[in-house]
Amino acid sequence: MTSADSQGAVQHEGVALGPWKLLTHSLSLARLVLGQAEELKRLRKRVGAVEQVAIKLHFYSRRYCDGRSTYAPSEHNMNTHTLLALGTELHRDPISKTGPFANDGMYGLTDRERAVLAQAGQEGGAL
């Protein structure tokens, strides 16, 4: 904890800091904050790029998986739920009748997928 006495002497965690030590300490903290800000900026850029790739791959994945009778539609739909839960806005496919989900060739859509589609319809169709 940092404090100052009545004569302006600064103490940090019980150790008296002279003016140069205080300045050095402040500069070190400033460098640390600037470094963290740069890292946050880099990570935000990276997350944005990964999100754009996920959106593009999702489009092709749905087209590939739709109507198949394999594990692919289930896997695609599970990942679609994850993207939606993360707040990713998925692009509309003009030929899709199942929104962002892939129809399983044997079982169709699960109750969970139908519920998401119904809710999106009530909210104006945004997914």
Side-chain angles (χ1 to χ4, degrees):
M1 182 169 190
T2 303
S3 63
D5 65 17
S6 60
Q7 293 153 348
V10 176
Q11 288 201 4
H12 180 70
E13 296 180 356
V15 177
L17 299 175
W20 288 110
K21 282 209 178 237
L22 180 61
L23 180 61
T24 302
H25 184 69
S26 297
L27 289 173
S28 294
L29 288 174
R31 270 190 237 116
L32 178 65
V33 169
L34 288 173
Q36 289 175 338
E38 286 298 316
E39 179 67 5
L40 182 58
K41 183 178 173 183
R42 186 188 71 76
L43 288 172
R44 282 185 174 153
K45 184 176 179 180
R46 184 174 179 181
V47 166
V50 169
E51 184 177 50
Q52 289 305 306
V53 168
I55 290 168
K56 288 176 186 173
L57 291 175
H58 174 271
F59 175 83
Y60 292 109
S61 172
R62 197 208 56 77
R63 286 249 176 126
Y64 171 81
C65 296
D66 196 41
R68 293 192 179 269
S69 299
T70 66
Y71 69 92
S74 175
E75 188 78 19
H76 169 85
N77 292 343
M78 183 176 61
N79 290 318
T80 298
H81 284 293
T82 299
L83 289 170
L84 292 173
L86 291 171
T88 305
E89 189 174 319
L90 300 173
H91 299 300
R92 297 256 175 225
D93 182 347
I95 68 163
S96 172
K97 293 177 179 39
T98 58
F101 300 107
N103 206 3
D104 185 295
M106 290 176 62
Y107 306 110
L109 297 177
T110 66
D111 291 339
R112 185 177 179 204
E113 277 98 48
R114 283 194 287 280
V116 169
L117 292 173
Q119 183 178 357
Q122 292 171 355
E123 296 173 357
L127 283 175

